[in-house]
């Protein structure tokens, strides 16, 4: 699409009851980011109330019409997705504006490949609008969905705002609370949550059942204000809370002291795993446990299904359902059904545990069954991690069928990641739901469950390591490509685990040419592995001063985790060195510190133990300009390919965890992040 053009969604697809709008961009340095937002507007071009402003502190509409989904890593940047259930949009909403904003002086001209895409309910891309003239604006309206009679249309807007998110939101009638860090009695009181949003009928949106099923969580963000009241109301008025822009996190509760006499006393578990004997037992129990918790913890169930285009509504789940298929009925591991406004959304679930691979013929059969019965999706669930542009199973989709079925994949690591986020950082509403999620997480992490995530580097791992050590591995060897794909899966899983622990976004950062095919990029990395004998990846951790780099040298058997900290813009080099040493007072003594200098390959280097008494040893001779410091930890990497204590996968997990908890936590966030979300809105 071009700027200013519009198109009717019904002309592009028959599956536009719900759509996903994706905002994407890339950054040459791999560290550019922005926040997405949505505004629901009435015929007058203004929001009906402050609750029509959806952003990071108010990501979900209680009626299910809007859902800000998780950030998805792409080949060379990020993609933020927003789910819209167009059948649930209140009739008084005339259009929905989709925007993004940057903060603390950052502007969209620093990003590349700005684009918005729209996909239908089965995941087919319908339209794309690139923005090529962003300039120095700090907020952009990418596009808008608007009504024309009974139809929905999309308009490519591309309008920028110099005044940032605050100016954009204010123009549409939102009353922003700029004083985000001011004391707020309701925000400090777990019971002082704002009243629920109201629908046009005066009931909580979604009906009484939904309102009861999903109360405001204890320790919630307190970002959703009460709706504005009409001017003709009488009686005492409580001041309406305005959207709070500071990101708050729910503090995890401290477990009470155990009453057990000693460690040999094991607590009774809601989901026991000791009796699991076979892979079939593991698959059946894991599926039943997960689907049951999804229905009992609505926020968790919604978190997992929203990314698949499912609507928000009453969810029921089933296991061991028999469905006709030729002469032999098929029994998918599970079925998910969601009812909203009298319509059903249905997905078949195929589960694998341990290292068991998904079978193409089995998934194909479920796709055919779903297409014939009018179901919307088939979800595969296993320990494997799907890669961009590389499906886990090959299935044939008959495009001649009027009803299309979407195929999605979910890894057990992603399930554990979402459970961790809700338990430790966001909350789920009450103690009973928290207990259920804790039991689920304990089950998934138990050695007998078979749901540990990606845990095997594959059959090519040992031959490739030996070939690199013997210098007999040649470029073009297909085994090197297998190792590169396994490495990428491992890196994505490490991001999920670290992000779940921190409650922050952790994403792989790709430094490739924009537009490069993922398969081509992996072939190039495989050739580099054959020549250099090294695997490397960079992780972008929210609020970190730089990229966390992981390097595995297969020749030396060493793992290196590192970060480059830029030099301050003001002050003296000796002051920088002393300040850095003070910050790292509790860091490991074997931490390597290297001074990065301008125009040279490297400056002075040494261990923290040696540099602590003499920080001046970090300064280069001759007054060469310092550009930053590289901090690194080294450890031996595991030898085995599997899930043993000595495995390569376990050693990478441990190295990243140790580096973050012992080094990166002591470093300051960059200025653009430290000022907080309040300054984002002011930018």
């Amino acid at each position: 699409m071009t700027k200013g053009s519009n198109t009717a969604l019904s002309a592009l697809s028959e599956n536009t009851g719900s759509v996903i709008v994706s905002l994407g961009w890339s950054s040459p340095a791999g560290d550019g980011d922005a926040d997405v937002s949505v505004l629901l507007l009435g015929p007058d071009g203004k929001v009906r109330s402050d609750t029509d402003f959806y952003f990071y502190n108010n990501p979900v509409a209680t009626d299910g019409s809007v859902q800000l989904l998780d950030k998805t890593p792409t080949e060379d940047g990020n993609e933020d997705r927003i789910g819209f259930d167009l059948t649930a949009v209140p009739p008084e909403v005339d259009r929905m504006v989709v925007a993004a904003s940057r903060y603390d002086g950052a502007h969209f001209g620093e990003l590349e490949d700005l684009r918005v895409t729209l996909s239908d309910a089965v995941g087919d891309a319908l339209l794309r609008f690139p923005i090529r003239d962003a300039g120095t604006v700090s907020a952009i309206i990418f596009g808008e969905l608007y009504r024309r009679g009974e139809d929905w249309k999309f308009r490519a807007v591309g309008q920028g705002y110099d005044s940032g998110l605050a100016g954009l939101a204010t123009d549409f009638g939102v009353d922003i609370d700029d004083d985000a860090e001011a004391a707020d009695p309701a925000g400090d009181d777990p019971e002082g949550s704002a009243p629920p949003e109201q629908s046009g009928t005066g009931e909580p949106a979604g009906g009484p059942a939904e309102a009861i099923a999903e109360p405001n969580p204890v320790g919630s963000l307190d970002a959703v204000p009460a709706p504005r009241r009409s001017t003709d109301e009488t009686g005492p008025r409580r001041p309406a809370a305005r959207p709070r822009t500071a990101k708050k996190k729910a503090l995890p509760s401290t477990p009470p002291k155990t009453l057990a006499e000693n460690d040999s006393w094991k607590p009774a578990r809601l989901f026991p795993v000791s009796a699991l004997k076979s892979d079939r037992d593991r698959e059946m129990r894991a599926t039943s446990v997960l689907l049951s918790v999804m229905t009992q913890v609505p926020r968790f169930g919604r978190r997992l299904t929203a990314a698949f285009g499912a609507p928000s509504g009453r969810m029921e789940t089933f296991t061991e359902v028999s469905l006709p298929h030729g002469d032999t009925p098929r029994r998918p591991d599970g079925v998910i059904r969601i009812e909203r406004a009298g319509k059903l959304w249905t997905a078949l679930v195929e589960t694998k545990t341990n290292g068991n691979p998904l079978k193409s013929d089995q998934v194909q059969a479920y796709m055919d069954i779903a297409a014939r019965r009018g179901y919307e999706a088939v979800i595969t669930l296993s320990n494997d991690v799907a890669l961009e542009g590389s499906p886990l199973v090959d299935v044939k989709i008959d495009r001649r069928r009027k009803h299309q079925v979407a195929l999605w994949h979910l890894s057990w690591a992603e399930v554990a990641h979402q459970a961790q986020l809700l338990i430790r950082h966001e909350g789920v509403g009450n103690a009973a739901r928290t207990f259920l999620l804790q039991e689920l997480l304990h089950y998934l992490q138990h050695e007998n469950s078979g749901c540990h995530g990606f845990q095997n580097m594959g059959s090519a791992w040992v031959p490739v390591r030996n070939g690199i050590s013997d210098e007999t591995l040649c470029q073009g060897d297909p085994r090197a490509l297998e190792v590169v794909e396994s490495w990428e899966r491992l890196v994505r899983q490490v991001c999920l685990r670290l992000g779940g622990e921190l409650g922050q976004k952790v994403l792989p950062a790709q430094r490739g040419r924009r537009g490069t095919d993922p398969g081509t990029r992996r072939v190039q990395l495989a050739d580099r592995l054959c020549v250099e004998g090294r695997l490397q990846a960079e992780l972008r951790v929210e609020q970190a001063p730089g990229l966390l780099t992981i390097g595995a040298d297969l020749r030396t058997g060493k793992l290196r985790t590192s970060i480059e900290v830029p030099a301050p813009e003001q002050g003296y080099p000796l002051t920088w060195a002393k300040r850095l040493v003070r910050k790292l007072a509790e860091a490991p003594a074997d931490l390597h510190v290297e001074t990065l200098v301008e125009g040279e390959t490297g400056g002075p280097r040494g261990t923290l133990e040696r540099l602590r008494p003499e920080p001046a040893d970090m300064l280069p001779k001759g007054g060469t300009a310092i550009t930053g410091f590289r901090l690194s930890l080294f450890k031996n990497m595991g030898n085995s390919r599997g899930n043993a204590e000595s495995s390569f996968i376990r050693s990478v997990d441990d190295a990243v965890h140790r580096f973050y908890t012992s080094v990166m936590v002591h470093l300051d966030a960059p200025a653009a992040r430290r000022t907080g979300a309040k300054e984002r809105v002011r930018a």
Side-chain angles (χ1 to χ4, degrees), residues 58-135:
N58 182 27
V60 183
T62 55
D63 61 7
S65 59
V66 180
Q67 166 96 5
L68 270 60
L69 306 174
D70 290 334
K71 191 179 295 293
T72 300
T74 61
E75 178 188 347
D76 55 359
N78 293 324
E79 191 171 77
D80 281 84
R81 296 177 300 162
I82 309 165
F84 291 93
D85 185 351
L86 301 182
T87 64
V89 178
E92 59 269 22
V93 172
D94 187 62
R95 59 190 172 113
M96 298 182 287
V97 172
V98 180
S101 57
R102 305 199 73 193
Y103 34 88
D104 200 36
H107 54 81
F108 280 94
E110 299 167 339
L111 303 178
E112 297 179 353
D113 193 24
L114 288 167
R115 75 274 182 189
V116 55
T117 58
L118 186 145
S119 303
D120 62 11
V122 299
D124 290 337
L126 304 182
L127 59 85
R128 186 178 192 274
F129 168 46
I131 298 178
R132 299 185 176 91
D133 54 351

Side-chain angles (χ1 to χ4, degrees), residues 13-19 119-122 124 126 402-404:
S13 172
E14 297 178 351
N15 303 297
T16 55
S18 61
V19 297
S119 303
D120 62 11
V122 299
D124 290 337
L126 304 182
K402 181 177 180 180
H403 181 79
Q404 298 293 322

Side-chain angles (χ1 to χ4, degrees), residues 138-422:
S138 54
I140 290 182
I141 295 178
F142 280 70
E144 61 182 20
L145 290 159
Y146 64 99
R147 297 183 194 265
R148 279 298 178 265
E150 298 298 322
D151 203 0
W152 281 96
K153 304 183 74 173
F154 179 86
R155 179 181 290 116
V157 178
Q159 176 184 345
Y161 279 75
D162 290 328
S163 52
L165 181 60
L168 185 152
T170 302
D171 276 1
F172 291 113
V174 180
D175 192 8
I176 295 291
D177 185 359
D178 280 336
D179 190 12
E181 297 183 9
D184 182 358
D188 295 333
D189 181 6
E191 302 298 326
S193 55
E197 299 180 33
Q198 301 292 317
S199 65
T201 61
E203 293 182 351
E210 184 171 333
I212 295 173
E214 192 67 78
N216 287 336
V218 175
S220 66
L221 296 174
D222 262 349
V224 184
R228 294 173 181 165
R229 304 200 308 180
S230 60
T231 55
D232 58 353
E233 290 188 31
T234 58
R237 294 186 58 183
R238 179 182 178 182
R242 296 175 291 177
R244 296 291 303 276
T245 58
K247 292 184 178 180
K248 297 182 182 179
K249 296 179 181 178
L251 297 177
S253 58
T254 303
K257 184 178 179 181
T258 179
L259 302 180
E261 288 187 5
N262 54 61
D263 293 340
S264 66
W265 287 26
K266 302 299 181 184
R269 310 302 323 193
L270 181 63
F271 310 124
V273 287
S274 58
L276 293 176
K277 301 297 183 183
S278 66
D279 286 337
R280 183 57 181 161
D281 290 341
R282 293 185 181 93
E283 290 177 9
M284 292 174 61
R285 183 171 296 186
T287 305
S288 183
V289 167
L290 173 62
L291 297 184
S292 177
V293 174
M294 287 172 61
T295 61
Q296 298 304 314
V297 186
R299 182 167 296 177
F300 176 64
R302 180 65 185 152
R303 184 69 63 87
L304 292 182
T305 57
F308 304 146
S312 173
R314 184 173 67 91
M315 178 187 296
E316 287 190 18
T317 55
F318 310 86
T319 59
E320 296 302 307
V321 175
S322 179
L323 297 173
H325 182 67
D327 297 332
T328 306
R330 293 280 183 158
R331 292 180 177 272
D333 293 311
V335 177
I336 302 172
R337 304 205 86 174
I338 301 174
E339 180 189 31
R340 177 163 191 85
K343 297 181 180 180
L344 285 177
W345 182 92
T346 307
L348 304 182
V349 181
E350 171 61 14
T351 303
K352 295 295 181 184
T353 55
N354 284 337
N356 297 319
L358 294 161
K359 299 178 181 179
S360 296
D361 58 341
Q362 201 171 26
V363 177
Q364 182 71 65
Y366 294 144
M367 292 287 289
D368 294 340
I369 292 172
R372 287 198 305 269
R373 302 182 71 85
Y375 297 162
E376 282 70 23
V378 172
I379 301 172
T380 57
L381 178 59
S382 73
N383 283 319
D384 211 343
V385 178
L387 301 180
E388 181 184 7
S390 180
L392 290 176
V393 290
D394 293 322
V395 296
K396 296 179 181 178
I397 299 176
D398 189 350
R399 296 294 180 185
R400 296 171 299 178
R401 282 177 170 160
K402 181 177 180 180
H403 181 79
Q404 298 293 322
V405 179
L407 177 61
W408 303 94
H409 179 72
L410 185 65
S411 71
W412 285 113
E414 172 70 16
V415 175
H417 167 76
Q418 297 295 349
Q420 277 187 316
L421 285 180
L422 291 172

Side-chain angles (χ1 to χ4, degrees), residues 548-561:
L548 193 166
T549 301
I550 319 167
D553 193 326
L554 276 63
R555 287 196 174 100
T556 63
K558 294 286 187 181
L559 281 174
R560 174 176 182 163
T561 46

Side-chain angles (χ1 to χ4, degrees), residues 491-650:
V491 170
R492 288 178 180 269
Q493 180 165 282
V494 167
C495 290
L496 289 173
R497 289 182 175 174
L498 184 59
E501 293 176 4
L502 304 179
Q504 298 175 350
K505 294 174 182 176
V506 181
L507 300 169
Q510 303 288 358
R511 290 181 181 267
R513 180 176 298 178
R514 180 160 51 97
T516 304
D517 177 71
T520 302
R521 176 175 54 81
R522 293 182 191 113
V523 171
Q524 295 171 350
L525 293 176
D527 289 341
R528 189 183 305 171
L529 171 64
C530 296
V531 174
E532 301 175 357
R534 289 195 298 269
L535 295 166
Q536 185 164 308
E538 294 176 318
L539 311 185
R540 184 164 53 250
V541 183
E542 190 177 26
Q543 299 186 2
L547 298 177
L548 193 166
T549 301
I550 319 167
D553 193 326
L554 276 63
R555 287 196 174 100
T556 63
K558 294 286 187 181
L559 281 174
R560 174 176 182 163
T561 46
S562 61
I563 187 173
E564 292 186 8
V565 182
E569 296 181 357
Q570 298 179 344
Y572 298 97
L574 182 58
T575 304
W576 302 343
K578 290 181 177 179
R579 184 181 300 134
L580 181 62
V581 169
R582 286 198 301 270
K583 290 178 183 176
L584 299 172
E586 299 181 10
D590 61 343
L591 178 68
H592 285 240
V593 181
E594 178 184 358
T595 303
L596 305 178
V597 296
E598 195 173 53
E600 297 184 20
T601 57
R605 66 187 68 186
T607 62
L608 188 59
E609 183 179 26
R610 184 177 68 81
L611 294 174
R612 274 171 175 157
E614 293 294 339
D617 290 347
M618 298 166 60
L619 307 183
K621 306 298 182 183
T624 306
I626 297 175
T627 60
F629 303 92
R630 181 184 291 117
L631 312 177
S632 307
L633 281 178
F634 297 86
K635 77 182 298 287
N636 294 327
M637 66 185 192
N639 296 316
S640 66
R641 69 182 188 185
N643 191 29
E645 289 289 340
S646 60
S647 74
F648 173 73
I649 293 175
R650 189 73 62 89

